[in-house]
Amino acid sequence: MKRWILLLSLVFVAGCASEPTEDAIQEETPVEEAPDQTDEEGGQTEESTEERLSIGTSEAVARQLDVPWSIARTEDGWLISERGGTIAVIDADGNVDRQPVELTEEVLEIGEGGLLGLALTDDFDTSRQLYAYHTYGTPGDVKNRVVELTWDGERFEESNIVLEDIPGAQFHNGGRLLLDDDRLWVTTGDALVPDLAQDETSLAGKILRIPLSGEGNPVDWIYSSGHRNPQGLSLTDGVLYASEHGASGHDEVNIIERGKNYGWPLIEADETGDGLETPWFEVGPTSWAPSGIISDERYVYMATLRGNRLVALDRETRDVTPVVEDKGRIRDVWLEGDRLYYITNNTDGRGNPGSEDDQLYSVTIR
């Protein structure tokens, strides 16, 4: 028992040392609002909302979610993953039906791990099939996997294994999914071992592009490398954006291209290195802890945790427009027409939840 307790303690200390943007010790103090960027910080200037977007007032769609992580839109409402291992099924009236997820490997909720990304198949309304990313194993042997689920209206059940044995840890599990025709994009973290992000034989610290046919070996699915903890993916006009946590500030948004190396742990921010990519956008020295992103022809919309806001990044100028600043930690975002939907993440042990938290909100942006 003493050896087990010692092992857990070492894992916790490693997580704290390596995760200044989201570690438990830092978040015991009030969450710090990230300041506006300036050119002196190496980023872009922040513009007034009047110059860019006409932003409405946020309205609650659903309440009392339990550590929500990923948003998926259905014909009748929403599916939202909850880190403890359930999926919140939300109807058009905002009623929440929390349903179990039956898996061959139980969800391990540890640190930032648990039930994370969701992606629905194009024919979900008839097939009821979707994909999920979740942490599993034991506190001393943490892993992640991607599975196919089938929903019968009352529960979600594993129907196929897409990929297992993705390195995991208390922190840095990645976890975002994006379905693109017959390919599934997957982000993985470095599992608190930075050198794995540069290891071409490891799936850690990578962005994967998995054929749903299962053809090839997992290392063949590595699309890009050198990632620390990417938690957002969006594809628009053939351009793939990924948001990523920095080691101490300097969180990034990268434009992802096949075979490129995005530098971690060799470089970050505006540093350069042979064969290494500098970010399309970085936040400066104060962390925002970016998570889910979505994009359209004009903007990349990004949820931030430590930044406590939802922002719009101009795809041409990279100027920053705040969209939401008064709801606490924001984990994921979805765009539909002229309306953004987003989930708060104040119940994850690092925020200051209200009585109705966490919530799914909507806000008009045009």
Side-chain angles (χ1 to χ4, degrees), residues 253-333:
V253 178
N254 289 292
I255 293 178
I256 305 301
E257 297 180 10
R258 181 190 292 274
K260 296 292 182 68
N261 186 328
Y262 291 83
W264 175 253
L266 305 177
I267 64 168
E268 64 174 345
D270 60 355
E271 297 172 345
T272 60
D274 234 7
L276 306 177
E277 303 298 312
T278 56
W280 173 77
F281 176 87
E282 68 102 350
V283 307
T286 300
S287 176
W288 295 4
S291 190
I293 59 175
I294 196 76
S295 54
D296 59 20
E297 68 281 354
R298 182 74 180 275
Y299 297 101
V300 175
Y301 305 94
M302 183 167 71
T304 73
L305 297 160
R306 292 208 71 206
N308 277 349
R309 55 184 188 168
L310 174 63
V311 299
L313 308 177
D314 190 294
R315 292 179 60 190
E316 182 178 348
T317 67
R318 287 171 285 180
D319 291 330
V320 181
T321 300
V323 178
V324 177
E325 298 185 279
D326 60 351
K327 302 301 180 186
R329 295 164 62 83
I330 301 178
R331 173 62 72 177
D332 198 16
V333 58

Side-chain angles (χ1 to χ4, degrees), residues 61-321:
V61 176
R63 297 174 171 84
Q64 295 185 331
L65 302 173
D66 186 9
V67 195
W69 209 91
S70 181
I71 302 174
R73 187 70 154 122
T74 71
E75 185 178 43
D76 304 319
W78 304 90
L79 301 182
I80 296 180
S81 62
E82 297 179 314
R83 211 171 63 196
T86 52
I87 294 177
V89 180
I90 301 172
D91 65 19
D93 296 322
N95 299 307
V96 177
D97 180 14
R98 185 165 287 110
Q99 296 188 1
V101 181
E102 298 189 3
L103 300 157
T104 56
E105 296 282 356
E106 290 186 8
V107 170
L108 176 66
E109 186 180 13
I110 180 173
E112 295 168 3
L115 181 59
L116 305 178
L118 297 180
L120 275 56
T121 57
D122 293 337
D123 64 349
F124 173 80
D125 292 329
T126 55
S127 71
R128 298 304 199 190
Q129 291 182 325
L130 65 157
Y131 297 94
Y133 185 107
H134 78 90
T135 311
Y136 72 107
T138 66
D141 185 21
V142 181
K143 299 177 181 179
N144 294 289
R145 65 204 293 257
V146 181
V147 297
E148 180 188 82
L149 303 177
T150 301
W151 182 42
D152 67 4
E154 296 181 354
R155 63 177 183 172
F156 297 83
E157 185 173 6
E158 181 181 316
S159 48
N160 190 33
I161 299 169
V162 177
L163 179 62
E164 292 188 302
D165 295 324
I166 301 169
Q170 184 176 7
F171 303 106
H172 298 198
N173 291 292
R176 192 64 61 184
L177 300 182
L178 175 65
L179 190 59
D180 177 28
D181 294 327
D182 61 349
R183 306 277 176 162
L184 184 65
W185 298 96
V186 180
T187 72
T188 71
D190 69 7
L192 294 178
V193 184
D195 288 345
L196 290 181
Q198 294 295 323
D199 184 345
E200 295 179 357
T201 68
S202 173
L203 298 181
K206 308 296 191 297
I207 292 178
L208 311 177
R209 188 171 183 247
I210 303 176
L212 296 183
S213 65
E215 180 182 358
N217 297 312
V219 292
D220 299 330
W221 304 335
I222 295 174
Y223 193 83
S224 63
S225 59
H227 300 287
R228 184 173 181 269
N229 191 22
Q231 289 194 354
L233 279 177
S234 183
L235 181 64
T236 297
D237 301 330
V239 180
L240 181 67
Y241 295 93
S243 61
E244 181 169 341
H245 292 199
S248 181
H250 302 293
D251 310 311
E252 301 176 357
V253 178
N254 289 292
I255 293 178
I256 305 301
E257 297 180 10
R258 181 190 292 274
K260 296 292 182 68
N261 186 328
Y262 291 83
W264 175 253
L266 305 177
I267 64 168
E268 64 174 345
D270 60 355
E271 297 172 345
T272 60
D274 234 7
L276 306 177
E277 303 298 312
T278 56
W280 173 77
F281 176 87
E282 68 102 350
V283 307
T286 300
S287 176
W288 295 4
S291 190
I293 59 175
I294 196 76
S295 54
D296 59 20
E297 68 281 354
R298 182 74 180 275
Y299 297 101
V300 175
Y301 305 94
M302 183 167 71
T304 73
L305 297 160
R306 292 208 71 206
N308 277 349
R309 55 184 188 168
L310 174 63
V311 299
L313 308 177
D314 190 294
R315 292 179 60 190
E316 182 178 348
T317 67
R318 287 171 285 180
D319 291 330
V320 181
T321 300

